[in-house]
Amino acid sequence: MGVYILVYSIVGKNIRINRILRNGKAVIFAFDHGVEHGPSDFPEEHIDPRTIIAKVVSANVDAIMMLPAMAYLTHDLWSGRTSIIVKLTSRTSLRPESERYLQSIFGLFDEAIALGAEAVAATIYWGSQYEDQMLNQWFAIKELADRYGYPILQLSYPRGPEMKNIYDVDVVRYGVRAAVESGADLIKTYYTGSEESFREVVKVAAGVPILMSGGPQRDSLLMFLKDVEAVMRAGGRGVVVGRNVFRHRNPAGVVKAIKAIVHDGLSSEEAIRFVE
Ligand code: FBP
């Protein structure tokens, strides 16, 4: 490889990161659940992926993370209006339980480029018995991402048969540190339940942007917005959220409310008026 391509790719990576993180922060819609959880995750009105993609795009979401074929099926809706992060690994929940600790290759780096992606993403279940396989996948994707100037987002999810509490701050910190040391440009991880504990998570990231993974739908939207607020106060750079958006009756309003907290520094109580 010529030395210039390596130098140029640093420029490309910076440009692309800045298109996703506006002023260093981002609200990203996660939309790979059709494979990870199956269609029963979606309420009836959002069973057609085009309906929900149109709604989040109308709310000016900063980016959408999805698998290659879904990016293709919805491209006319997002193209020119928001960025996409193409996720290149996945797994179904139909697998035998113990095999659910493995993500498999679900698309090629070339497909992400062909689709006009701004970044690529892959999951590592740190602590899984399949950690080694996922690391091989990660470094194969990362080699191409680094060469061609694409940021790589790691879904850093500590998870394995022997892990008792995946939300424990020490466990999440370990996963984040491993993500940093495996060269992630952006890290998405679990919320640890409080501003104080999440601050400890941010500390071990050595400046690599940390985004909160949305997680299961909270009992109320306000509870979710409070978590987003705490994450931002702790030094997080935003969220990658799926269920708390697409399971809500007003997904566009929820995206606007999250954006108001992440980008404009509103409190959760102030931001919820975008929905009510
Ligand atoms: P959510 O906001 O719905 O949690 O989406 C984030 C996400 O990581 C998705 O990208 C993925 O499909 C899902 O959560 C994984 O969920 P689980 O933790 O059940 O494996």
Side-chain angles (χ1 to χ4, degrees):
M1 197 191 328
V3 71
Y4 280 113
I5 196 164
L6 283 175
V7 176
Y8 292 173
S9 66
I10 295 170
V11 177
K13 193 180 272 201
N14 277 336
I15 289 172
R16 292 185 175 95
I17 286 186
N18 289 331
R19 285 193 196 130
I20 295 169
L21 299 181
R22 310 197 179 164
N23 296 322
K25 298 167 190 164
V27 177
I28 300 168
F29 180 55
F31 195 55
D32 56 338
H33 306 67
V35 174
E36 300 249 338
H37 297 161
S40 58
D41 237 25
F42 305 117
E44 195 51 40
E45 71 268 27
H46 296 141
I47 201 76
D48 179 346
R50 295 180 60 81
T51 312
I52 181 69
I53 294 292
K55 288 180 185 176
V56 298
V57 168
S58 77
N60 291 322
V61 74
D62 295 320
I64 303 172
M65 184 190 75
M66 51 192 158
L67 297 164
M70 185 56 74
Y72 171 68
L73 290 171
T74 56
H75 70 92
D76 55 312
L77 299 170
W78 54 259
S79 168
R81 304 187 65 190
T82 192
S83 301
I84 59 160
I85 300 172
V86 173
K87 189 166 180 256
L88 297 176
T89 67
S90 198
R91 56 109 185 137
T92 70
S93 295
L94 297 170
R95 288 182 176 181
E97 195 129 357
S98 65
E99 313 264 317
R100 292 183 205 160
Y101 297 121
L102 171 67
Q103 290 253 330
S104 304
I105 289 293
F106 216 86
L108 303 176
F109 183 79
D110 294 13
E111 294 175 51
I113 295 183
L115 285 160
E118 218 63 76
V120 290
T123 300
I124 298 187
Y125 295 138
W126 294 105
S128 149
Q129 67 271 44
Y130 302 111
E131 192 182 273
D132 179 57
Q133 269 168 265
M134 287 176 281
L135 276 168
N136 283 330
Q137 295 166 5
W138 169 261
F139 282 105
I141 298 168
K142 183 175 154 50
E143 185 186 359
L144 295 168
D146 285 346
R147 184 179 306 167
Y148 296 111
Y150 283 74
I152 179 165
L153 180 151
Q154 185 177 121
L155 289 81
S156 166
Y157 286 0
R159 192 178 293 196
E162 279 153 44
M163 215 166 287
K164 292 195 177 61
N165 177 10
I166 59 175
Y167 303 107
D168 179 85
V169 61
D170 287 332
V171 172
V172 176
R173 267 160 47 100
Y174 199 158
V176 163
R177 188 50 169 252
V180 169
E181 300 207 24
S182 53
D185 298 303
L186 300 164
I187 300 170
K188 166 185 198 264
T189 197
Y190 307 132
Y191 180 51
T192 47
S194 69
E195 180 185 332
E196 296 67 38
S197 60
F198 207 73
R199 198 178 295 283
E200 298 306 308
V201 173
V202 171
K203 263 188 214 162
V204 296
V208 178
I210 298 288
L211 301 151
M212 173 181 101
S213 185
Q217 188 181 25
R218 309 293 192 277
D219 292 342
S220 73
L221 177 64
L222 188 62
M223 284 170 79
F224 179 71
L225 296 179
K226 281 185 185 304
D227 291 347
V228 176
E229 198 185 342
V231 162
M232 298 312 291
R233 277 202 308 261
R237 303 286 204 90
V239 296
V240 187
V241 51
R243 284 165 284 184
N244 283 278
V245 170
F246 67 66
R247 295 180 70 82
H248 195 274
R249 63 185 157 74
N250 181 1
V254 176
V255 170
K256 287 178 190 160
I258 301 170
K259 284 187 69 181
I261 297 170
V262 169
H263 289 300
D264 306 325
L266 264 61
S267 69
S268 45
E269 281 86 3
E270 289 166 327
I272 202 159
R273 68 179 150 84
F274 286 93
V275 183
E276 285 165 342

